[in-house]
Amino acid sequence: MTKRVAILISGSGSNMVALAESMVGDHPARPVLVVSNLPGAGGLGRAEAMGIATAVVDHRRFAGDRAAFEAELARVLEAARPDILCLAGFMRILTPWFTARWAGRALNIHPSLLPKYRGLDTHARALAAGDSEAGCSVHEVTAELDGGPILGQARVPILPGDTPERLAARVLPMEHELYPAVLRRYAAGDRTPVFLP
Ligand code: GAR
């Protein structure tokens, strides 16, 4: 049975596009919904242009009531009956209530070589630490922020003169390769990690 995939975004949605474009032909999954917590997210228009249903659950409408925001997010998502939830540049921290609902069914992409640099400003932190490489990870979503089992990683060298922006520009295309590769395996029931290059 084809798996139904919902994707959560907050921004430009380039990872969402990479995922959606990969789900064609004999791929075991199809995108059914893209949800943003920000009405202005550039990814919404890109999803619409690809013919994918979109929704907005604006967290600011809930005035800091995280439980109410997540209840609405869960309601909107569950109406689309997804089998798999992909967080793709979704910039809200999720509570244990939400992550438990999606246990074993939710993936996230994070721009660091986890377990290094959970949270924000990953590339600046890798540079400040004098690391020789950076990268991205796809992991299962658990209650621990950026802490679930790793399903894939892609590495890029850090070069002399790198800035957080230059590094991000080199890591992002690797994200676009890694996330679809992991999703394809995951949707087929295979949780063997993917390592790139
Ligand atoms: C990506 O680099 C993703 O790894 C990162 O946000 C960017 C979203 O770009 N995610 C996080 O930092 C999650 N904490 P996109 O909207 O173009 O996919």
Side-chain angles (χ1 to χ4, degrees):
M1 267 271 281
T2 305
K3 296 286 198 314
R4 299 168 62 83
V5 176
I7 305 172
L8 292 182
I9 64 168
S10 299
S12 69
S14 69
N15 277 288
M16 176 277 297
V17 170
L19 290 173
E21 286 181 344
S22 75
M23 285 183 262
V24 294
D26 67 354
H27 196 289
R30 289 291 184 269
V32 296
L33 180 66
V34 170
V35 184
S36 173
N37 66 301
L38 291 173
L44 287 169
R46 301 173 84 175
E48 282 160 20
M50 288 187 288
I52 306 168
T54 63
V56 174
V57 181
D58 186 345
H59 68 277
R60 295 167 303 191
R61 277 201 296 121
F62 299 87
D65 185 345
R66 207 177 276 274
F69 164 65
E70 289 187 351
E72 177 63 4
L73 185 59
R75 191 190 65 73
V76 168
L77 281 172
E78 283 158 25
R81 296 178 290 106
D83 301 298
I84 298 171
L85 181 61
C86 289
L87 279 56
F90 182 68
M91 303 306 279
R92 304 301 298 168
I93 291 174
L94 295 166
T95 70
W97 176 82
F98 189 92
T99 58
R101 263 179 119 78
W102 291 93
R105 300 189 289 154
L107 308 180
N108 178 45
I109 187 152
H110 183 73
S112 79
L113 294 173
L114 291 171
K116 281 188 162 183
Y117 315 128
R118 296 175 182 176
L120 299 175
D121 301 322
T122 54
H123 299 316
R125 288 157 68 200
L127 291 172
D131 291 356
S132 59
E133 59 178 6
C136 52
S137 307
V138 176
H139 64 92
E140 279 201 65
V141 175
T142 63
E144 200 183 341
L145 178 68
D146 302 324
I150 290 172
L151 294 168
Q153 281 188 325
R155 320 178 92 82
V156 304
I158 291 181
L159 303 177
D162 260 349
T163 60
E165 295 73 26
R166 287 175 63 168
L167 192 49
R170 252 187 357 271
V171 171
L172 194 60
M174 296 306 293
E175 297 187 33
H176 300 160
E177 274 190 53
L178 180 69
Y179 210 173
V182 171
L183 177 63
R184 180 181 267 273
R185 278 194 189 180
Y186 193 83
D190 179 358
R191 291 172 191 208
T192 317
V194 176
F195 292 104
L196 301 175

